[in-house]
Amino acid sequence: MTQRRIDHRYDDPLDLIWLAAAGRLGMKVSRSREVYASWDGKDTLSIAAREDFDADDSLGQMIFHEICHALVAGHGKVRPDWGLSNTDDADLVFEHACHRVQAALAAPHGLRDFMAVTTQWRPYWDALPADPLAPCDDPAQSIAVEAYARAQRPPYQKVLQDALTATAALAALVAPYGSAGSLWATVHPKHSTGFLANADSTLRCGQCAWAFSARPGGALRCRQSEREGRQASWVAPDETACERWEPVFGEAECRTCGACCREGFDLVQVGLREPFARAHPSLVQRSSLGASVPRPGGRCVALDGDGVQAPFTCRYYEIRPKSCAQFPIGGAACLLARRRTGLSR
């Protein structure tokens, strides 16, 4: 039997993505039966052979994890195994910081579960909050914040963005063909706006507070997706909602919100001939910005209630300034105020 000539070999696409990422960062990757993962302090990253992986390990996740170790170690601090000891828990805070920055980088791409660590420290990963970089008492948090900042600068920013975007694109193609027990099934799909899809598949864009139309009955856009230099994305009313979905609200919901009347804005403009200014001249202040209603401590002087024990209400609602009366509920300014007060993302 004539032996067939073989000119090509099959390569795992996820491996290719992350091997390329490592190469762009000056890392050579070798496979070894002697280690699980080890960095020589120069240019070579040794990763366990595939047969030594756990069932939910991948070469991509292993390389990504070691890149996050590089981010935590920082420039000028590159030593074998990132200067960490794996024989005791003395350097565990740096391992935890690596987990936090790894989760923060993977989550926006829907890859937080897919790229999760698989070591004995997995319980720490599973206990991380939705925002792993949020202030907390864990000493690893501040280290992770610094590492994340490094990830936003060259050479890491472009390399990681490319690799994570490619991984998410690959996952979108593969996930529908995987079983419920497949690692690919853990990937969080993306919404058409670029946000992650909402975990509740029954929610629809047309039911969201931030969906709007430029004219009655017109096509919908998503206010959440509107950014400087970028128009709001088009969405279909029956499209499954994104992670930033909020129920439509009106004046009744304002009583538990009050964002526009407190820290959402610094001042409220008022005309000196408006009924409010005529009735309460002592509540109007003048400056180079014009006449306005003061907000000591970020709260309007006319605002009552706390939104919990008592609803937020305006003491002078019937003659409130025109800028308040014309404030569009669910509009761009409404979303901005809610974001500034932490009520919306």
Side-chain angles (χ1 to χ4, degrees):
M1 182 177 178
T2 304
Q3 187 172 6
R4 180 176 70 89
R5 175 180 172 179
I6 300 176
D7 297 316
H8 300 87
R9 70 172 186 274
Y10 173 81
D11 291 316
D12 183 278
L14 186 65
D15 289 359
L16 293 179
I17 291 170
W18 287 94
L19 286 169
R24 290 170 64 185
L25 293 173
M27 294 180 175
K28 301 175 185 176
V29 178
S30 67
R31 309 304 292 271
S32 171
R33 297 299 302 271
E34 304 300 320
V35 298
Y36 186 65
S38 180
W39 170 247
D40 71 351
K42 297 177 182 177
D43 61 4
T44 301
L45 179 62
S46 299
I47 302 289
R50 186 174 298 276
E51 51 266 38
D52 294 326
F53 276 4
D54 290 335
D56 55 353
D57 279 333
S58 73
L59 180 61
Q61 185 276 128
M62 299 282 284
I63 293 174
F64 179 40
H65 181 72
E66 295 304 312
I67 292 175
C68 289
H69 266 303
L71 290 167
V72 169
H75 298 298
K77 299 179 181 178
V78 179
R79 292 176 287 167
D81 291 329
W82 316 112
L84 307 181
S85 169
N86 58 9
T87 59
D88 55 45
D89 291 344
D91 296 321
L92 193 54
V93 65
F94 298 104
E95 181 68 33
H96 288 169
C98 179
H99 290 197
R100 285 182 178 270
V101 72
Q102 185 171 336
L105 290 168
H109 297 270
L111 300 171
R112 177 159 165 167
D113 293 330
F114 184 77
M115 286 298 201
V117 299
T118 61
T119 60
Q120 66 268 35
W121 295 292
R122 179 61 181 264
Y124 178 87
W125 174 283
D126 289 340
L128 288 174
D131 180 0
L133 301 180
C136 63
D137 295 333
D138 186 349
Q141 182 268 342
S142 59
I143 300 172
V145 169
E146 291 183 12
Y148 186 84
R150 292 188 189 102
Q152 309 311 308
R153 301 192 294 265
Y156 296 104
Q157 196 277 334
K158 184 70 164 64
V159 173
L160 286 171
Q161 181 66 21
D162 287 351
L164 289 166
T165 299
T167 300
L170 178 62
L173 295 173
V174 176
Y177 299 95
S179 66
S182 169
L183 188 62
W184 293 103
T186 68
V187 175
H188 200 147
K190 287 257 188 170
H191 187 265
S192 64
T193 55
F195 299 121
L196 297 182
N198 199 291
D200 186 346
S201 61
T202 67
L203 300 178
R204 297 290 179 262
C205 288
Q207 304 165 330
C208 180
W210 309 119
F212 72 99
S213 174
R215 55 184 176 80
L220 290 181
R221 288 181 180 267
C222 172
R223 202 175 296 286
Q224 277 280 355
S225 65
E226 196 170 15
R227 293 291 185 274
E228 185 176 349
R230 172 187 166 187
Q231 285 190 330
S233 301
W234 297 102
V235 292
D238 60 351
E239 183 177 355
T240 301
C242 79
E243 60 183 332
R244 300 195 177 191
W245 182 92
E246 292 185 65
V248 175
F249 47 80
E251 288 190 21
E253 285 70 32
C254 292
R255 295 177 178 272
T256 57
C257 174
C260 59
C261 299
R262 38 196 188 101
E263 293 85 353
F265 302 108
D266 295 327
L267 53 82
V268 174
Q269 298 283 0
V270 60
L272 293 177
R273 295 185 179 182
E274 289 187 36
F276 177 88
R278 290 177 179 274
H280 305 287
S282 62
L283 297 182
V284 177
Q285 63 183 11
R286 302 188 190 191
S287 69
S288 59
L289 298 176
S292 63
V293 182
R295 293 194 172 197
R299 185 183 170 99
C300 179
V301 293
L303 184 64
D304 287 331
D306 60 5
V308 181
Q309 299 297 325
F312 287 118
T313 56
C314 176
R315 199 175 306 126
Y316 311 109
Y317 187 79
E318 296 302 324
I319 57 170
R320 66 194 185 281
K322 184 184 297 183
S323 57
C324 297
Q326 296 179 347
F327 189 85
I329 299 173
C334 179
L335 177 57
L336 177 60
R338 286 179 60 85
R339 281 177 171 162
R340 287 175 173 175
T341 51
L343 294 174
S344 294
R345 296 175 61 183

